[in-house]
Amino acid sequence: MKNILQLFSITILLISCSSVKKTQQAINIGNYDEAINIALKNLRSNKTKKSNQSYVLMLEEAFSKAVTRDKEKIKYLKADGNPANLESIYNLYILLNNRQESIKPLLPLPILNKGKNAKFHFEDYTSDILTYKDKLSLYLYNKAEHKLNTSQSKIEFRNIYNDLKYLNNINPNYKSTISLLEEAHYKGTDFVYVTLKNKTNKVIPIRLEKDLLNFNTYKLNNLWTVYNTTKLPNQPYDFQLDINFREINISPEELHEKVIIQEKQVKDGWKYLTDSNGNEVKDSLGNTIKVDKFKTIRSKVHKFSQFKSVQVVGQINYYNLNTNQLVKSFPLTSEFVFEHHYATYSGNKKAINKNNLDLLNYHRIPFPSNEQMIYDSGENLKKKIKAIISNYNFR
């Protein structure tokens, strides 16, 4: 038990030394916030523990260097005068504030061998945060308002949307941000008109056509793409997606028969055991030995297989309606197979093995109609269509 405790203590010591080393390395390469986070994690468990004293000193050092670096960066960004720097300045003030707030709950942090507490120079950044939140909000708002009126690119509208979403997070309901968000979202959305065209000589069931064009079941609409199977009035469309059926191949109805003869040895009473001379064989007590008699039973099994298949061959075409050009084509193939097995027999049923015996419970059924076969291929078609559309990126 003593050895186990010693091993445990050594393990804890090694982990602690590794953590101290990692913290110092983070300070040495300028990763001050990483060093602060490691130090805080260890000090939260026991800030007065003697072995944690190195974390107190490193926390003091890392905090001082981080604050100095951030303030120098803010000074530079302000002097640069570029309004695009407002977000960076605002975020730096937030970082300065959050950093000191993470340390405050642990104060005071004693330095035991010096009999004093670690020093942290804290400031009130409230005014700076509010000032630059207002400046940044106005900048983002004016920039979005201008670009919404001048941009033509969907990607730009999406970037505007992201800026406005960020603005609404830091400054909820600022001016008309919500209405601008809605406008940016609408202008950045790709509207896709979907059609289904039957170029085969077969009739596609109405219910299958409705299923295939029910894009709600595909769950493909996302933040930036909307699919419509019915053209909405006054809605400009960016792309058209044509689902073209070119061939529908239906096989003949096939019925295959296979005849199997099955035999089995079964008990059929008993008889006295005789030797090669025809004499009865007796046991050690003088009794005549009895043995089982067997006979062969036979059955003729007629196994039937019903088979019919359909293959739907088509193509999905994407058109850019702004340029009236074909953008991309994808092959579309789907198959559905109807297969049914059953059996009849003559002779002794007991000769039939289990697999064939189970088939006797089934009987011939009507073949599905061509229309039903085409409809039954629909689920597989929907999966293929969804896979193609899901993997295609308009932009």
Side-chain angles (χ1 to χ4, degrees), residues 91-108:
N91 287 330
L92 283 167
Y93 277 125
I94 293 289
L95 179 61
L96 285 164
N97 184 70
N98 290 345
R99 186 185 291 128
Q100 63 187 31
E101 290 300 317
S102 67
I103 295 173
K104 283 180 181 179
L106 286 174
L107 298 181

Side-chain angles (χ1 to χ4, degrees), residues 154 158 184-191 223-226 238:
K154 295 273 183 180
R158 294 176 189 182
H185 179 248
Y186 176 79
K187 288 183 174 180
T189 299
D190 283 322
F191 289 91
L223 180 62
W224 296 117
T225 312
V226 174
D238 304 284

Side-chain angles (χ1 to χ4, degrees), residues 16-269:
S16 177
C17 290
S18 174
S19 182
V20 169
K21 186 178 179 181
K22 190 176 180 181
T23 309
Q24 187 60 59
Q25 284 176 341
I27 293 173
N28 293 343
I29 61 175
N31 287 343
Y32 303 128
D33 284 304
E34 182 185 350
I36 289 168
N37 290 334
I38 298 171
L40 288 174
K41 182 180 178 182
N42 285 276
L43 290 170
R44 286 188 189 107
S45 60
N46 190 340
K47 67 178 185 178
T48 58
K49 189 177 178 181
K50 189 174 181 181
S51 60
N52 280 344
Q53 279 292 286
S54 54
Y55 291 114
V56 176
L57 298 173
M58 287 188 289
L59 178 63
E60 187 179 45
E61 179 186 359
F63 177 79
S64 176
K65 289 181 175 179
V67 170
T68 299
R69 180 194 59 193
D70 291 347
K71 284 186 172 182
E72 286 175 353
K73 191 169 184 180
I74 288 172
K75 184 179 178 181
Y76 168 78
L77 292 173
K78 286 180 179 179
D80 184 49
N82 187 341
N85 294 332
L86 290 171
E87 183 177 346
S88 296
I89 296 171
Y90 171 72
N91 287 330
L92 283 167
Y93 277 125
I94 293 289
L95 179 61
L96 285 164
N97 184 70
N98 290 345
R99 186 185 291 128
Q100 63 187 31
E101 290 300 317
S102 67
I103 295 173
K104 283 180 181 179
L106 286 174
L107 298 181
L109 284 170
I111 302 174
L112 300 177
N113 63 350
K114 293 185 179 180
K116 64 177 185 178
N117 295 325
K119 287 186 178 181
F120 299 93
H121 179 66
F122 293 157
E123 295 182 39
D124 184 358
Y125 296 105
T126 305
S127 178
D128 296 306
I129 290 172
L130 292 175
T131 296
Y132 278 89
K133 182 177 78 170
D134 287 341
K135 288 183 177 181
L136 175 59
S137 297
L138 182 61
Y139 167 70
L140 291 174
Y141 187 89
N142 290 339
K143 175 185 169 187
E145 202 171 37
H146 171 71
K147 285 193 172 183
L148 280 172
N149 294 321
T150 58
S151 297
Q152 300 296 322
S153 164
K154 295 273 183 180
I155 299 300
E156 282 230 20
F157 289 128
R158 294 176 189 182
N159 291 335
I160 294 166
Y161 175 88
N162 291 332
D163 284 348
L164 289 167
K165 195 170 182 183
Y166 172 71
L167 168 57
N168 199 52
N169 285 335
I170 65 169
N171 203 347
N173 298 316
Y174 180 79
K175 294 188 176 184
S176 299
T177 299
I178 299 300
S179 63
L180 292 184
L181 257 173
E182 292 171 354
E183 183 182 348
H185 179 248
Y186 176 79
K187 288 183 174 180
T189 299
D190 283 322
F191 289 91
V192 185
Y193 176 53
V194 183
T195 70
L196 189 150
K197 297 177 180 179
N198 182 11
K199 297 183 178 180
T200 72
N201 59 355
K202 305 286 194 306
V203 175
I204 296 176
I206 296 297
R207 55 183 178 150
L208 174 58
E209 188 171 337
K210 286 182 179 178
D211 277 357
L212 294 177
L213 290 177
N214 183 6
F215 265 58
N216 290 331
T217 62
Y218 291 83
K219 297 180 180 178
L220 290 169
N221 287 349
N222 56 48
L223 180 62
W224 296 117
T225 312
V226 174
Y227 295 89
N228 291 149
T229 54
T230 302
K231 275 194 174 180
L232 301 177
N234 303 319
Q235 172 60 61
Y237 286 90
D238 304 284
F239 296 92
Q240 182 167 314
L241 187 159
D242 289 344
I243 303 170
N244 297 316
F245 291 150
R246 299 186 179 279
E247 295 177 40
I248 297 179
N249 304 313
I250 301 174
S251 74
E253 297 176 356
E254 299 177 23
L255 180 63
H256 302 284
E257 180 183 4
K258 184 178 181 181
V259 179
I260 300 173
I261 304 298
Q262 293 198 298
E263 294 182 341
K264 185 187 288 186
Q265 294 282 311
V266 295
K267 283 177 64 174
D268 185 29

